[in-house]
Amino acid sequence: MDDDGTRGVRGPGADRAPGPAAPPPPAHPPRVPHPAAGTDPADPYPADRNQADPYPGDRNQADPYPGDRNQADPYPAHRNQADRHPGPPAEQWRAGSASAQPVEPRQAGSAPAAPPVEQPASGAPVDAWLRTPRPQQEPGVWRYGYTPPPPEESERVSDRSLLVGALIALLSALLLWSLWRNGYLPYRLVPLKLFTPGEWWNPGTSGGPRTIEGSDALTVYEAILFGLLAYGCGRIGNFSELFRRHVAERGQPFLAVAAAGAAGLTQLLVWKETLPVVRPVLVLVASVAGGEIYQSQTVVNVIYGLIAAAVLWPFARLGRWRELIAARRGGSAPAPADPSAPATTTSADQWPELRAAGWTDAADTLTAEVRTGRMNDVDVARLRHAWRLATRRPDRLGPLAESVLRTGGAAALHPSGHRDLPRRTARHDVLTGQVRIGRCADDPHNPYVRRGTGLALDPALLGTSLLAVGPPGAGKSARLVRPAVEALALRALAGQAAVLAVGGAGEPLGPDDAFDVVVRVGHPGSAHDIDLYGGTTDPDEAAAVLAEGLVGDVGSLDSRRAATVLAQLLGPYRAAHGHFPSVPELRELLDGTPAAFAGLRASLEAAGHHAMLRELDARSRQAGGPGDPAPALADRVALLDRPTFAGFFATGPDARPFELRALGQYPLRVRVDLPERGHAEAARLLTRLLLAQFTAITAARTDTSLFVCLVLDDATHAVTAETVRGIRRLRSVNAGAVLALRTVDDVPEALHTPLLGAVGCTAAFSGITTWDGKRFAEAWGKEWVETREVAQHTVFADQPFTRALHALRKLVTGKAVTTDAVTVRQVEKERWSASELAYAVPSGHAVIRLANVDGEHAPPLLVHLDG
């Protein structure tokens, strides 16, 4: 009977696993080119399937990885019906299982339900999302649609000062113009007489015009002076800032109405000849074209119309009448062309990389899929990544393009068959791998260019590892850890990452169907176990990792000596039985039970393993000696030898562990639920063990093209000296870790400084103590700031009149007359002090410092978390 590769799974109904979601039918039959000679059209990847093929293409809708199943198989256990317990999730993984947990069966003949597709932004189509600019910015800036802020204003003048200054400038201009028109300003005509014939004027410096030419010249002269006076009044009174602040900032339609009102008033003043505009224009036209031009009424009307249009034109520009009319008609103003863009540039939604390689048919197919809404952002990111990988091996370009022609956006699917997560709780930009977790607050601690901008995490930042510290309820899980897990899961669906999320049962790390493997330690319905030995066959390597997990937090015990003790037992046991001991057997060996030692010795003697006998004899001689770590190891192993964990951590032929090494080979999404309630010490031991295994396995990877990340929702007592050194090495092997702590004191005091120095990204949530704040303040360092010290000194007057004025001022204001002495200095100050971190961070906020793997870093920023 075909059980879909789910034999031996715990729990009723655990053998029901859905197949991959079928892609939607294409809008039109794609054009498939004829295959090359010797190529099977049904097999898009005929060449070298066994060599690091992350995207084997669409070989079979029900089987994403059909090529050479026995090669690099992370789950080599059962392949036949005789095996009781399979090695999950090999068959489930290949069969497209979304999770190892039971799911409701489908009705016979019904189509598989596709996961809901969530667009990158609410209401934004994928083609518009794809064309949205993403400029390169500092680490942590949300790049999707980023627009730089306006230049910082040095000092904003108050509205009161602005209005008073404009009123004074206007009144001064009116006074000067009145004095000019009434002839109270001496020598006002001297500049004009210097450039015009003398017979045009009466004698004397104050003599007026004698001829018609003089009158016309005076008319034009007055108009020029009026224009200069109006310009000077506008500059001195700062009328442009007044208009921008109180009119333009209110937007439409107030801006257009205000501009129309000002235009009407100006037209009235112009045609009433209160403003010298009409007569100077008529005089200039007559002097150029002759006075006979005004004999035609049509010409006069045209001139008047041009004057009216010239007066209205600046108000139309200020009021943006054209944009308002276009918006009312339902249109939009034409976008200005970018002169720097070449004429041959192809938009991103038209897949220019495929067109440049000559695969125009495949590009047309994907363009149609994008524009008809049948592809989501994960599909775009997955296909782009698959194309980049295929370009490194030209023999795979053709099969990938043919798969695109056949299945469109469903080509190169994730082995689970999923094209999106069932639900998202944060904003993601899968194209850049960013997830928005908050917005930088408008706070003096934040640089001006970062205030109001979005803050995002991406693999380049998580590659330096992240440490988040905050009390319970501060929002670490919901606003930071959950969005980070979602972002990594989306990148896993795109074939670019693998994630291992570890937390307590019921922690908000995501639903079961958002993961490929779910391990529930101590739950009878769990389909998988945890391999205590990390999937290795080397006793020394297994002993080193297991010792770190068991007693790495015991400062008085040397973990290297504990590893030696474990190696003296694991090596002989594996040589005798072909596998490592289970938890009860390991506990008996560590306790030195005579029957366990005698049975192991007999097995070794029967098999002729003399070298392993010497190891066992050495362990027998050292047992019970001073400083022997075996009793401490046995006590820690006893935490796992409980009835709740019966059947877990098995190592024999019935074992079904999840091997952590698979994370470095496949884009897996794995979640581990720990039994924190009632077994807190066991949960911490397993957390410490998983962290030690993760740092050891990722450091030994040879292929680092896949980003691997471990997320610990609670890393209490999980960090040891060895794991700190391992975390420091993660960034060089394209891996990272996210650690969440309630307080830094959950880590041994000797590791406070090394841990803060090992991680590149740190986050201090609201509610931390001043002791934790002091450690963050020291880790973030200091900066040079400019300080202003103001000292007030009382003014003592010597003159009687001045003393009387000072006495009157003191009587009115109630304060003595003083002068301010300002001292400006450059001092070195902490970016955030311990008191500010403890008391000045509002609820729902965190101070986050980010750095990427390239060495770029951002200062600590106060962020309002909306993730």
Side-chain angles (χ1 to χ4, degrees), residues 201-388:
W201 309 98
N202 293 320
T205 56
S206 301
R210 178 189 298 176
T211 63
I212 297 177
E213 292 82 359
S215 298
D216 294 343
L218 180 59
T219 300
V220 177
Y221 179 60
E222 287 182 346
I224 295 174
L225 290 180
F226 179 82
L228 294 176
L229 181 62
Y231 176 78
C233 174
R235 292 298 301 270
I236 295 174
N238 205 2
F239 279 86
S240 60
E241 176 65 17
L242 186 66
F243 175 80
R244 183 189 65 82
R245 189 179 302 183
H246 295 282
V247 180
E249 287 185 354
R250 296 192 179 185
Q252 300 287 12
F254 181 82
L255 176 60
V257 172
L265 178 61
T266 304
Q267 288 281 7
L268 179 62
L269 296 177
V270 166
W271 297 111
K272 288 290 185 180
E273 296 191 0
T274 303
L275 300 180
V277 176
V278 178
R279 288 180 58 85
V281 172
L282 296 176
V283 169
L284 290 175
V285 171
S287 62
V288 173
E292 297 81 2
I293 192 175
Y294 295 119
Q295 294 179 1
S296 173
Q297 186 61 36
T298 302
V299 173
V300 174
N301 293 337
V302 170
I303 294 175
Y304 285 166
L306 292 176
I307 293 174
V311 173
L312 285 177
W313 181 76
F315 294 99
R317 290 290 303 274
L318 291 176
R320 301 174 185 172
W321 294 351
R322 181 182 179 184
E323 298 178 9
L324 180 62
I325 294 173
R328 293 296 182 183
R329 292 180 177 177
S332 58
D338 186 6
S340 61
T344 58
T345 298
T346 305
S347 59
D349 64 324
Q350 296 182 6
W351 302 85
E353 59 271 18
L354 272 70
R355 299 183 187 277
W359 297 97
T360 307
D361 292 346
D364 292 339
T365 300
L366 293 180
T367 301
E369 294 267 309
V370 168
R371 294 185 175 177
T372 55
R374 298 175 51 210
M375 285 181 64
N376 61 8
D377 53 347
V378 179
D379 295 331
V380 174
R382 185 186 69 251
L383 289 174
R384 283 195 166 193
H385 178 68
W387 187 263
R388 284 195 299 267

Side-chain angles (χ1 to χ4, degrees), residues 519-541:
V519 181
R520 290 189 174 97
V521 180
H523 193 282
S526 179
H528 310 298
D529 295 342
I530 293 179
D531 189 353
L532 297 180
Y533 305 100
T536 183
T537 58
D538 184 1
D540 293 330
E541 182 181 351

Side-chain angles (χ1 to χ4, degrees), residues 146-225:
Y146 173 81
T147 55
E152 183 178 8
E153 298 178 358
S154 56
E155 290 185 5
R156 181 182 175 94
V157 181
S158 64
D159 292 343
R160 180 177 179 181
S161 300
L162 194 63
L163 291 173
V164 171
L167 181 60
I168 292 175
L170 180 61
L171 294 177
S172 300
L174 291 176
L175 177 61
L176 286 175
W177 184 246
S178 177
L179 294 176
W180 167 271
R181 294 295 299 268
N182 292 299
Y184 290 107
L185 296 179
Y187 310 108
R188 63 189 185 97
L189 299 179
V190 172
L192 181 60
K193 292 180 179 181
L194 293 176
F195 296 96
T196 54
E199 60 270 13
W200 289 5
W201 309 98
N202 293 320
T205 56
S206 301
R210 178 189 298 176
T211 63
I212 297 177
E213 292 82 359
S215 298
D216 294 343
L218 180 59
T219 300
V220 177
Y221 179 60
E222 287 182 346
I224 295 174
L225 290 180

Side-chain angles (χ1 to χ4, degrees), residues 639 645 674-687 716:
L639 295 175
F645 306 126
L674 300 177
E676 288 188 344
R677 294 181 180 179
H679 301 276
E681 287 299 325
R684 293 172 182 175
L685 187 153
L686 293 174
T687 303
T716 302

